[in-house]
Amino acid sequence: MMNKAIVCLFLASTPVVWSQGDGNGTSPITPIVPTGSEFYSSCPACELSWQALPGAAGGEETISAALAIRDKFISSLSTDSVGLFCGDGISWGTSSEKLRTSAAERLAYFDFIQARNSDLSLEITPTCTQAILLPNGLVRVMFYNSIREGATDRCARIVHTIDTANSCVKINYGSAVPDDPEALRQVDFDNQMPWQNGSTVDLAGPAEKPNTAPGSCSACDTKYSNAAGLTQEQVDRAMNVAKAAWVSSLIDNDASSIADTYCENGNLWGTVTAMSRNTRDEIQSYFDWFANSRNFTEAIRSTCATVTKIGDGVLVVSLELNLEGQCLRMQFTLVEDEDGTQCVAALDSSYVPATSQQLLEFDARTSGSFGLSSGWLAVAVAVATLMMT
């Protein structure tokens, strides 16, 4: 356990308004990693908010149950956190290159976290919590983790998908908070995004440089577990939706079609935006910039996917994608109706973080740490072909 972890919830502050700078609105398109890109040191603070996907059951009581599990997870941030995962839970931690699909892999990561923080006095405050009710008692909880170590502040963005029926964490996804490129800010201003009029917060001064992995992802066939009744047909549909929600429409520079793949009340936390985007217009504004930022026909080189069933009609597609030498990790949460039609309930995307030597050593102590756990099946799906055709 760490020496100290303080959790404070639902802080509120006056929003900082983005305003239009000098110029004529013709800012040049910036690369995905802008020159001098930095990560925010100070997280925003805003009130708790929540919404529900159409047809999702539950309400404030379900949200409260999910937040109680989230708070317990954060107050541990050690090997104690491993016990809060569902048996089939998955984790893409803030400091982990690898998607961790087994208890042994998760334990190695949190052993590392505990050892790294053992001599530190940390205050950890989740801020700006947003929750989305999904089917089957699942709740997606998004928040920023404000981490203070002495006089040093840093900020991470975290997503937990929590199974309230079984009181466990299905998904843990963490990353640093990126700085929006100026060209994206200009597009958001032109599209009159809500944070331009003060209804949403900005973040305070960037300070910390990103620490990302080398930009070369490994290509592999799609992996999935059939233990939970996941079928090849569902996997194929999920991969096609991920393709439509990202690759195909990017090649066509079609931001509107990308936005159309999202469910009502779907959510995007994009690779290079600090803001969680919670409406179709906000999602389209992001891709109005991103889809036109390069020629994607030549940019996308390879993918590697794992498909996980986390509830009836709820699938997760976890991808590593090599984009012009930059390695990204993307996680789609898809909801499927009775007819088999799928929509994107959420997409989380970030740079693949560099794995520290210390974490590699913890992983090496776990026999068979990487390679999927028993029951996982590598299927003969040519992912690169599927995603590019």
Side-chain angles (χ1 to χ4, degrees):
M1 293 288 293
M2 294 184 296
N3 292 346
K4 180 170 63 172
I6 300 173
V7 177
C8 307
L9 292 176
F10 315 147
L11 303 178
S13 69
T14 302
V16 179
V17 182
W18 284 357
S19 59
Q20 187 176 28
D22 295 335
N24 57 10
T26 57
S27 302
I29 296 298
T30 56
I32 289 181
V33 183
T35 302
S37 175
E38 297 171 324
F39 283 66
Y40 287 107
S41 59
S42 180
C43 298
C46 61
E47 294 181 351
L48 167 69
S49 63
W50 67 275
Q51 57 193 24
L53 291 188
E60 291 185 2
E61 184 176 342
T62 307
I63 299 296
S64 296
L67 294 181
I69 296 168
R70 186 279 306 267
D71 295 347
K72 188 175 180 181
F73 189 99
I74 293 174
S75 66
S76 302
L77 278 185
S78 66
T79 51
D80 293 345
S81 300
V82 177
L84 294 174
F85 277 96
C86 308
D88 56 354
I90 60 177
S91 180
W92 237 341
T94 306
S95 302
S96 176
E97 265 183 82
K98 303 292 185 181
L99 176 69
R100 295 168 185 265
T101 61
S102 73
E105 293 167 1
R106 296 190 295 270
L107 181 61
Y109 181 72
F110 285 99
D111 277 346
F112 155 72
I113 293 294
Q114 182 168 323
R116 186 186 65 181
N117 295 338
S118 60
D119 296 328
L120 304 178
S121 178
L122 302 178
E123 296 179 4
I124 302 173
T125 307
T127 71
C128 213
T129 300
Q130 296 176 299
I132 300 177
L133 280 172
L134 303 174
N136 306 307
L138 297 172
V139 180
R140 172 179 163 86
V141 181
M142 303 165 287
F143 56 100
Y144 299 94
N145 249 358
S146 180
I147 305 168
R148 169 162 290 184
E149 180 188 340
T152 302
D153 292 324
R154 49 195 169 94
C155 185
R157 57 180 185 177
I158 310 293
V159 178
H160 290 164
T161 299
I162 294 170
D163 181 349
T164 59
N166 294 294
S167 300
C168 58
V169 177
K170 284 282 189 180
I171 298 173
N172 172 58
Y173 185 102
S175 74
V177 181
D179 191 7
D180 295 50
E182 287 300 324
L184 174 56
R185 293 187 181 217
Q186 182 65 55
V187 170
D188 281 340
F189 183 89
D190 294 342
N191 289 335
Q192 300 181 335
M193 288 297 98
W195 43 86
Q196 302 293 354
N197 62 24
S199 64
T200 308
V201 295
D202 197 355
L203 293 112
E208 184 181 345
K209 293 287 186 181
N211 182 23
T212 57
S216 180
C217 305
S218 300
C220 68
D221 291 338
T222 302
K223 303 176 182 67
Y224 73 94
S225 171
N226 55 12
L230 189 60
T231 67
Q232 180 69 60
E233 183 180 4
Q234 285 179 307
V235 169
D236 290 344
R237 283 200 301 267
M239 293 303 299
N240 282 327
V241 171
K243 170 187 170 184
W246 222 81
V247 178
S248 297
S249 296
L250 285 179
I251 290 173
D252 295 335
N253 302 125
D254 187 353
S256 179
S257 291
I258 297 174
D260 286 343
T261 63
Y262 282 76
C263 311
E264 182 181 343
N265 291 337
N267 170 265
L268 166 70
W269 226 344
T271 309
V272 290
T273 180
M275 300 297 181
S276 173
R277 294 170 184 256
N278 305 309
T279 69
R280 187 191 185 286
D281 287 345
E282 292 172 11
I283 291 167
Q284 181 168 339
S285 186
Y286 178 77
F287 287 108
D288 278 343
W289 167 74
F290 193 82
N292 291 285
S293 64
R294 66 202 59 238
N295 180 350
F296 284 95
T297 303
E298 298 299 327
I300 300 170
R301 296 299 183 188
S302 64
T303 64
C304 188
T306 299
V307 182
T308 309
K309 182 178 179 179
I310 64 170
D312 290 339
V314 185
L315 308 179
V316 174
V317 178
S318 305
L319 296 174
E320 288 186 357
L321 190 145
N322 193 1
L323 183 62
E324 289 187 334
Q326 297 168 8
C327 195
L328 309 182
R329 56 179 184 170
M330 307 172 68
Q331 198 162 72
F332 297 85
T333 300
L334 308 177
V335 173
E336 185 175 68
D337 65 19
E338 294 179 355
D339 297 327
T341 302
Q342 296 175 349
C343 61
V344 180
L347 169 58
D348 300 298
S349 181
S350 59
Y351 303 112
V352 173
T355 299
S356 71
Q357 182 59 41
Q358 186 182 17
L359 177 53
L360 291 174
E361 291 169 0
F362 275 97
D363 281 334
R365 297 173 194 172
T366 305
S367 177
S369 177
F370 294 109
L372 292 169
S373 57
S374 178
W376 283 82
L377 176 66
V379 298
V381 177
V383 179
T385 300
L386 177 62
M387 297 292 288
M388 290 300 298
T389 57

